[in-house]
Amino acid sequence: MHYRKLGKTGFNVSEISLGTWQVGGKWGDPFSHETADSILNAAVDSGINFIDTADVYGDGESEKAVGRLVRSRSEPVYVATKCGRQLQPHTNDAYQPAALRRFVEQSLRNMQLDTLDLIQLHCPPTEVFYRPEIFELFDRLKDEGKIRHLGVSVEKVEEGLKALTFANVSTIQLIFNMFRQRPAELLFREAKRLDVGLIVRVPLASGLLTGKFSRDTTFSPDDHRQFNRDGAAFDKGETFAGVDYETGLAAVEELKKVFPDQPNLAPIALRWVLMFDEVSCVIPGASKTSQLESNLQAAELPALTPEQMQAVRGIYEQRIKPLVYYSW
């Protein structure tokens, strides 16, 4: 495993880390603590030392599993969680310091920890990024010893750029992958200048970039890849990175021609993300240990060649960019 600095937190984190949206099992299944414990412990055994969760993952069960892991292991494990998505309706007006404080304190109870290494605003409405009182709350929580650092999880490049204007923002979590390349322009440059760590989520475009899906692949009714393709439940960009399924499949077939010797594209897609040194870590999810093992293969791959990087860029420019660039 290789490690990179997570911006101004100073944490040296595993460049391949773990997201826990599906750590309790596959989409739509009840949360399994047995599955979660297996994946989480295998991750730490492999050298992963940064785990991202959220209070809404499994209705708090993911946080409980992560806390149990941290308390049971001797190795240092950095924990990042998120707050805000419990708000119903999820609107700018609902974001109030008192509510966010309650969420942070509940996360501490869920994980049975005294301090959160990193708390992130969980994709709030754009207007929240223009409210200093929201960001000031986390300075008070830091003074109280409840958090060590503040980060934001964003949907749009513009939200990330606005977050960078707050000095207490240490990290930005964002979607970045072969199908979502816009962040590598201005946002990456500004984050590096301000020493803000970049945490990359959805690196496999909800599984599309594994190369294992086809027109015959089916998803359960409770799987967001089935019910959220048009953004019915949350931001469309979280599902297949906002690319319509058929277009994504066609683009993946072209990617397979660029990497003909790779039966599994997932490690290649993760290695592509890590070609950008502004990225601190990538947090692919896993609903079983075999997926974790697949993701970890990326750490063993050589750097992609300039020709491969250009070919990926060409596929994006031709097939994907017109569909996603101006939305996120």
Side-chain angles (χ1 to χ4, degrees), residues 308-325:
Q308 289 170 329
M309 293 295 289
Q310 185 57 45
V312 172
R313 180 71 184 184
I315 294 167
Y316 164 76
E317 292 274 357
Q318 180 179 358
R319 288 190 173 270
I320 306 297
K321 182 177 179 178
L323 303 176
V324 301
Y325 185 88

Side-chain angles (χ1 to χ4, degrees), residues 91 107 148 160 180 187 238:
T91 61
S107 290
R148 295 176 70 182
R180 184 79 72 83
L187 181 56
E238 298 284 348

Side-chain angles (χ1 to χ4, degrees), residues 6 43 72 84 112 127 130 138 178 214-215 217 247 266 271 300:
L6 184 61
S72 69
Q112 298 181 39
E127 297 92 334
Y130 291 81
F138 295 94
M178 290 174 168
S214 72
R215 289 172 179 81
T217 301
T247 299
R271 188 68 185 87
E300 304 171 5

Side-chain angles (χ1 to χ4, degrees), residues 190-207:
E190 287 301 291
K192 184 175 183 178
R193 181 176 68 84
L194 295 168
D195 195 24
V196 169
L198 295 177
I199 302 166
V200 170
R201 72 176 187 277
V202 197
L204 302 179
S206 306

Side-chain angles (χ1 to χ4, degrees), residues 20 40 51 53 62-71 79 111:
T20 62
L40 290 166
I51 297 176
T53 185
S62 176
E63 284 189 332
K64 292 175 185 177
V66 171
R68 184 169 60 249
L69 169 86
V70 172
R71 298 192 312 275
V79 174
M111 291 191 273

Side-chain angles (χ1 to χ4, degrees), residues 141-204:
L141 291 170
K142 185 175 182 178
D143 291 341
E144 295 167 17
K146 294 178 178 177
I147 69 168
R148 295 176 70 182
H149 298 281
L150 169 66
V152 296
S153 184
V154 302
E155 299 287 3
K156 300 178 180 180
V157 165
E158 290 79 6
E159 294 166 350
L161 291 170
K162 182 59 181 175
L164 289 173
T165 66
F166 294 97
N168 63 347
V169 170
S170 297
T171 65
I172 294 175
Q173 183 181 139
L174 72 166
I175 296 175
F176 179 62
N177 57 49
M178 290 174 168
F179 289 170
R180 184 79 72 83
Q181 299 193 26
R182 183 180 178 187
E185 300 171 9
L186 178 60
L187 181 56
F188 275 27
R189 184 169 70 247
E190 287 301 291
K192 184 175 183 178
R193 181 176 68 84
L194 295 168
D195 195 24
V196 169
L198 295 177
I199 302 166
V200 170
R201 72 176 187 277
V202 197
L204 302 179

